[in-house]
Amino acid sequence: MMVTNRLPAKDYRSTGSDYCNVGSEGDFWQEDAGQDSSGKVAQAAGMSDWQTDLRLASRLFIQQLELKHSLQYLGTRIETLESQLDTVPYSIQIVFVDSDFCELTRQLPLLVTTYTSDTAEEGVEYTVCFVEANLAATDESLERAVDAFKSRLISKFKLLTTHDPTKLGRLPTKQLAVLNSVLRRIDGA
């Protein structure tokens, strides 16, 4: 047998959702844990059809509100994750530099990061970086950013190889060592 208890007095005759105030009093009826969802036990316990219908409508309304809030939360969460994915760095490899001065000795791994930008036409800027040599370039398209990076890489290599390595500072010496591991001067250049 099911035990039902009325909740504290409230005017449940008003229109709308007042009869199932989710934030404070919950459902119109409190039920024993053993009742099935069909409402047959409630009818056997002496509840009239309208009370059972009201109780079921209340339960359905609460479930609908919970689903609505869950969907809103999930929508917000998806938007957050999508915006985070836009800024996740990824790696690309370059295998060729167009230069008469030097050539790549191996594939060069580059880290690519995208940023939203108010100044860019597309709203996105790409930064291409060779972390070990502390070299980077930024542009509004990935292709132009890679081209700018290649140009900067070649000019930095030219600059560092034209100086006496013993007269370079600590950072330029490190950069030259890293660049020498991935670039080679072309004979006659």
Side-chain angles (χ1 to χ4, degrees):
M1 182 164 150
M2 182 189 87
V3 179
T4 58
N5 297 318
R6 273 206 180 271
L7 292 176
K10 182 172 179 176
D11 183 11
Y12 293 102
R13 292 170 294 182
S14 63
T15 60
S17 62
D18 293 344
Y19 68 88
C20 59
N21 187 350
V22 178
S24 59
E25 296 173 288
D27 204 349
F28 181 66
W29 295 94
Q30 292 178 340
E31 64 180 293
D32 184 28
Q35 181 185 2
D36 63 358
S37 61
S38 67
K40 292 178 184 176
V41 174
Q43 287 178 344
M47 292 175 64
S48 66
D49 287 342
W50 74 267
Q51 288 172 323
T52 304
D53 291 346
L54 181 62
R55 187 163 177 263
L56 290 174
S58 168
R59 199 178 308 154
L60 287 174
F61 182 76
I62 291 170
Q63 289 174 350
Q64 183 182 19
L65 284 177
E66 289 172 351
L67 285 173
K68 181 180 177 183
H69 291 295
S70 295
L71 288 174
Q72 287 174 344
Y73 169 76
L74 290 174
T76 304
R77 185 71 180 134
I78 287 171
E79 288 174 7
T80 302
L81 291 172
E82 285 176 344
S83 68
Q84 289 174 351
L85 281 177
D86 290 341
T87 60
V88 172
Y90 58 94
S91 179
I92 62 171
Q93 305 276 329
I94 59 171
V95 293
F96 174 76
V97 290
D98 188 21
S99 171
D100 296 333
F101 183 75
C102 61
E103 62 186 6
L104 284 172
T105 58
R106 62 179 174 93
Q107 290 183 352
L108 187 60
L110 301 177
L111 183 67
V112 178
T113 308
T114 59
Y115 298 95
T116 55
S117 171
D118 295 334
T119 59
E121 287 180 23
E122 300 287 322
V124 177
E125 285 188 350
Y126 297 87
T127 299
V128 179
C129 182
F130 181 36
V131 178
E132 291 82 10
N134 196 26
L135 290 174
T138 301
D139 208 309
E140 293 178 7
S141 77
L142 181 57
E143 184 178 332
R144 289 194 311 242
V146 170
D147 290 342
F149 174 80
K150 288 178 181 179
S151 176
R152 185 166 293 160
L153 177 73
I154 294 166
S155 64
K156 182 61 103 173
F157 187 64
K158 277 183 186 177
L159 177 68
L160 292 175
T161 55
T162 57
H163 289 86
D164 181 13
T166 60
K167 295 187 178 184
L168 294 174
R170 196 175 80 209
L171 178 61
T173 301
K174 180 185 174 192
Q175 280 182 321
L176 181 59
V178 171
L179 294 178
N180 277 330
S181 71
V182 294
L183 293 170
R184 169 180 55 227
R185 282 182 78 161
I186 296 174
D187 292 334

